[in-house]
Amino acid sequence: MSETQDEVAVISTSKGEIVIEFWPETAPNTVENFKKLSNESFYDGTCFHRIVKGFMIQGGDPLTKDPSEEGRWGTGDAGYKIDAEFSDRPHNKGVISMARSSDPNSAGSQFFICLKPANFLDNEYTCFGEMIKGEDVLDALGAVPCGDAGGEISRPKERQDVHSITIVSRADAGVE
């Protein structure tokens, strides 16, 4: 097993931890970008700003660190874009993929995790790993009440924090 395959992401949230296994053979540049941002503490203090019931939870926007920027949540990025890396990997429950605009090469820092299979995204979005621990946490995040008077039906009513995303060995994450 290579060093990259031994490394996993531990996403520490307000509901608990989700552990993500990377697919470096599928999306090497995306995996390296996500690890780089995680190692720089880029995601620490952000939140899941978009939860679409039965579909996905989305995070990774640095603007979510500032509640006064809520009107712009979903528009922030790392200050650069990365190229898409499409594959035949299916978007099954627990798969992590890059969020983007209509331009396939517009992803930067935002990501989403599928709550159930979303095969209409296959070969359209860059998936780069999958959840190997924390299904109960993913389900809890996917079940939070959403919607507000401002018409943002996918915005959680209560903030769903991403305390940190750390890159650790499988052993340190408690997974084989």
Side-chain angles (χ1 to χ4, degrees), residues 75-141:
T75 64
D77 61 28
Y80 58 84
K81 308 293 186 204
I82 60 173
D83 289 341
E85 294 177 287
F86 299 141
S87 71
D88 292 333
R89 294 267 197 164
H91 281 78
N92 291 325
K93 180 178 182 179
V95 165
I96 188 170
S97 195
M98 293 302 290
R100 61 172 176 81
S101 70
S102 58
D103 177 355
N105 297 317
S106 63
S109 64
Q110 292 191 46
F111 62 90
F112 62 91
I113 304 172
C114 296
L115 295 169
K116 70 176 194 177
N119 302 111
F120 61 94
L121 300 175
D122 297 353
N123 294 301
E124 300 288 331
Y125 285 77
T126 302
C127 55
F128 61 98
E130 68 182 328
M131 172 188 65
I132 55 173
K133 185 178 178 184
E135 184 172 3
D136 57 329
V137 176
L138 179 62
D139 291 343
L141 286 164

Side-chain angles (χ1 to χ4, degrees), residues 54-77:
F55 175 36
M56 61 84 188
I57 62 173
Q58 183 173 330
D61 182 345
L63 295 176
T64 64
K65 294 179 182 184
D66 183 354
S68 72
E69 292 285 345
E70 187 171 0
R72 296 180 52 214
W73 289 4
T75 64
D77 61 28

Side-chain angles (χ1 to χ4, degrees), residues 3-35:
E3 178 181 322
T4 301
Q5 290 170 320
D6 181 55
E7 292 178 325
V8 295
V10 177
I11 304 174
S12 176
T13 77
S14 51
K15 299 281 190 234
E17 291 185 349
I18 297 172
V19 179
I20 300 290
E21 172 182 79
F22 294 117
W23 295 338
E25 70 288 351
T26 299
N29 295 328
T30 304
V31 167
E32 287 307 310
N33 180 65
F34 189 84
K35 288 170 50 180

